[in-house]
Amino acid sequence: MIRFEQVSKRYPDGTWAVNDLSFQVAEGELVTLVGPSGCGKTTTMKMVNRLIEPTDGRILLDGADISTVDPVELRRRIGYVIQQVGLFPHKTVLDNTATVPHLLGWRRSQARARAAELLELVGLDPGTHGDRYPDQLSGGQRQRVGVARALAADPPVLLMDEPFGAVDPLVREHLQNEFLKLQETVRKTVLFVTHDIEEAVRLGDRMAVYGHGRIEQLDAPAKILGAP
Ligand code: ADP
Ligand code: ADP
């Protein structure tokens, strides 16, 4: 479903952030990208939704080279969640979540109904939390809204870049559990960046261990941990 073919990225200052990367992620699979900071995880991720263009190689989504896919279509097919989810501060939680369906041309009432559904899916009560503003939410709740919003267009692919990185460990564990449950329901193809090895083991169907712009190991967490 997502396929990297000999992908490299060199930044203008000469840094080779990603070097000759080839791997693929199956439909409905969750692959965690783990490794020390600066080893190319975020660069890998951002090349999938074309926030960054590779210097060499190509990336295929369902067999199509992403450089040939219309950017609007690409955005519809790929949800993106980052560490500090940027919510519109002057919109309520419900309206923040309804933004994407609304942009996709849904009527306002339909978009809001869809938003309420999505909030429930991520463990927020639309009645209690829907009318609040982002600054009236905890960090964990804001990240949940971010996940809800990323799911709004029902994209087959989710890119998650340290989505639970900024919340305290207990909340993080809670969010991880909820995300695993959610994934059982929605079955997205997921690339999930984390520098927390426990998180990578817990969530990943497979785990890609990065070092210096390359994937050094890619396998089920149990196999990697059990390896001599
Ligand atoms: P190593 O993995 O052996 O440490 P590097 O990744 O540091 O090698 O690459 C050595 C040099 O080769 C880099 O400084 C860069 O100039 C060049 N290089 C690396 N990757 C590529 C590539 N994909 N295409 C062209 N040149 C490359
Ligand atoms: P990670 O997500 O694993 O922390 P990144 O993909 O963010 O790694 O970065 C990989 C390498 O590329 C690092 O050496 C980083 O400093 C460098 N890098 C990232 N973004 C840029 C940029 N815009 N310009 C130059 N170098 C960058």
Side-chain angles (χ1 to χ4, degrees), residues 40 82 93 115 117 121 143 168 181 193 197:
I82 57 173
V93 165
E117 235 174 72
L121 203 58
Q143 290 309 103
D168 68 62
K181 261 193 247 156
V193 167
I197 185 118

Side-chain angles (χ1 to χ4, degrees), residues 9 15 18 24 27 40 58-59 62 67 105 122 179-180 204 216-217 224:
K9 174 63 189 181
T15 308
V18 167
Q24 65 182 37
E27 189 169 342
R58 57 178 200 157
I59 300 169
D62 276 337
S67 66
V122 298
F179 184 67
L180 280 174
E216 295 179 338
Q217 283 178 290
I224 290 179

